[in-house]
Every structure is written in structure tokens, then in C-alpha cells.
Amino acid sequence: MLAREVAMKVLMLGRGVIASVYGWAFDRAGHDVEFYVRPSADHPDEVKLDLLDLRRRPWGRSVRERWPITLRREIPLRHEYDLIVVSVGHHRLREAMELLAPRVGAATVLVFGNVWPRPEAVTAGVPTERVVWGFPGAGGGFQPDGTLLAGLLPGIRMHVQGPRAEAVRALFRSAGVRVRDEPDIHGWLAIHFALDAGMHAQGLRLGSLSRIVGDTRSLREALLTGRELLPMTEASGVDLSRHRIATLPARRARAIAPMLGWAITHLAAARRSLEAHTDPRSEEVRAVCRDALAAAREHGIPAPRLEAVEELFAR
Ligand SMILES: NC(=O)c1ccc[n+]([C@@H]2O[C@H](COP(=O)([O-])OP(=O)(O)OC[C@H]3O[C@@H](n4cnc5c(N)ncnc54)[C@H](OP(=O)(O)O)[C@@H]3O)[C@@H](O)[C@H]2O)c1
């Protein structure tokens, strides 16, 4: 248990995959964690967790438990949360930030997931100095029986600048999660969005992203689809030369796909997140593909691979 003075009061917005996994990790580290869910949402006040916890051992530790949680159906205008974690699909981000804007109080807001388009378009009325940007190192999905099948990796990415970001870094560290500082987090997030669109397009083709495990040709196709979209990130202001490592799998798709495919098949850390993506109708998947293609068209960037599956994600 943490000393009282370092324990944080954390509100997770939504009871999604990423919110639940990190909410659990913060709770286990002694922080005070609550979940905000829409008043109309019908969520049980527990999370059925089937987690491969990879924070301390590369082969992981299996955690299977029913974790009781505290749900809140409103965020009061005056509250004592130190941190509000916003981990929603990019297409829900603006709406979530609008909800928070009058209710931020003294809290820091961690935006923790896909961001598209550029950050200034999604922060709504939340003061930018309150916002910290990061990306999770966990993945998974809810299974039809409600179980959350997920993997928790040892690290996350975040732009660590200023005391608010330092406090968020300390929170993750206390939960055994390393924070990798990403100075150009917005560039990195845009590239991730493009590469995600490539993966999701292939998932739609296969009927589920989970089927990419063990299928090197499909993985290569996903990387090539993502590569088509990199010029779109450049057109939106990203300096790709600052992200040589992040773009490497897409730039060298033919050479890297077999190695990456092997890793995804044989390493639990890589496999778990993909395996859990079994829902072919996920709204976020279609939104990522749709918005990536719209941006490519807006900038006149050819995206024939993504276009070829347009009927699978068009409204
Ligand atoms: N899942 C993964 O494997 C994974 C891995 C890496 C990164 N990410 C990224 O992390 C982010 C979150 O992903 P996720 O898989 O955790 O999403 P998710 O399971 O769909 O969870 C999102 C949650 O946010 C809630 N929500 C959205 N807008 C809200 C609002 N205005 N008010 C209240 N609740 C709201 C949703 O509630 P409702 O259901 O009521 O709408 C849902 O519970 C995304 O950007 C994703 O790309 C995900």
C-alpha cells in the first residue's frame, strides 16, 4: 500500500478495455480508482479480468479475477480527482473532452489512446496546460461473456513535460509501468493512427483482427496499407524523419513481416492483444479506417489498399 500522501485519486472515463486494465493496475498499487460511465450505460460494478500481466516477467503472469469497481454516473463540478484518464476511440475524444471541460477542477487530464486529427481539434474547452498525452502499452478486448481478455506490457509512451506529466509518470511507476518519454508525441500518435488503419483494414478483410496471428501475408498487407497512409501524416504536419523506428515496419514491410509474424505467433506479449480483438463489427475499427481514408483523400494521397475494403467500413 502507498503512503497516503502519494496515493492519487483517479477517475477513469468509461469502463473500456484500457481504462479497466490500467484502473486495475493503479488500484493494486494503492491508488483510489473510480470509473465514470454514462448514466444510461448498463455496466456491472465488477470487471471479469483474464489478464496476462507482462510488467515484471517477459513470459507474463496470468491474472484471473473478478475485480469489484466503483462506478460513478456523474462527474460533479467540484471534486477531488487528481487525474482523469480519457481512453476512448479518437472519434469519441472531442465529445469526452466537451463533457470534461466544465468539470476538470484541479485535475490533470491524461489523453491515453488514438488521437486524430491534430490535438488542437480535440481538446475542446479543456485547458491545454492541463492535458498530458500518452499511449497505452496494453491491449485486449471484451469477450462475448463480458470477460476482459487483455495483456499489460511493462511500458507506455507519454510526453513528459512539466510537473503534471511528472506526477502522471510517478503514478505509472508506482504501478510498475515504465514511461517512455516521446517528445513528439503528436507525430507519433498520427503515425500510430495511420498504421492502425492498416491493421484494422486487414482485420476487416479477414473478418477479425485476431486472424492475423500466424498469417504473415496478411500482416505484410496490413503494413503496406499503413505505409500508403504515411504521406497523409506528413501532409498533416508530421516530420517523419523524427520517427524512423516507428515507421520502420511499414517502410520495410516485406522484410519485416516474417519476423514480426513469428514474434506475434510465438511471443505471448505480442500475441495477446491481437488475439483478443475478435469483434469484426467494432465501431472504432470502422471509424479509424473511414477517417484515415477521408484524410488521405483530403490531401490527395492515393490509398488503393484501404480503398479496396471501403465497403467494409463505409457507413
Ligand atoms: N483495446 C486495445 O487493444 C487498445 C490498444 C492500444 C490502444 N488502444 C486505444 O485506446 C483507446 C481506448 O480503447 P479501448 O479499447 O479501451 O476502448 P473501449 O473499450 O471502446 O472503451 C471506451 C470506453 O469509453 C466510454 N466512453 C466513450 N466516450 C464517452 C463519454 N463521452 N462519456 C462516457 N464514457 C465514454 C465508452 O463507453 P460506452 O460503451 O458507453 O460508449 C467505453 O466504455 C482508443 O483510442 C484505442 O485506439 C486500444
Side-chain angles (χ1 to χ4, degrees), residues 64-82:
R64 289 203 176 112
E65 64 176 61
R66 296 174 95 104
W67 173 46
I69 56 173
T70 304
L71 296 180
R72 299 283 174 218
R73 292 184 190 276
E74 68 171 312
I75 307 172
L77 292 174
R78 295 160 78 87
H79 57 73
E80 293 185 341
Y81 297 116
D82 301 300

Side-chain angles (χ1 to χ4, degrees), residues 15-17 20-21 24 44-51 63-69 141-150 272:
R15 215 217 65 162
V17 174
S20 300
V21 170
W24 173 83
D45 55 4
E46 65 167 15
V47 177
K48 268 201 286 176
L49 204 58
D50 183 345
L51 179 77
V63 178
R64 289 203 176 112
E65 64 176 61
R66 296 174 95 104
W67 173 46
I69 56 173
F142 285 99
Q143 303 308 293
D145 70 348
T147 302
L148 172 54
L149 185 62
R272 180 43 91 97

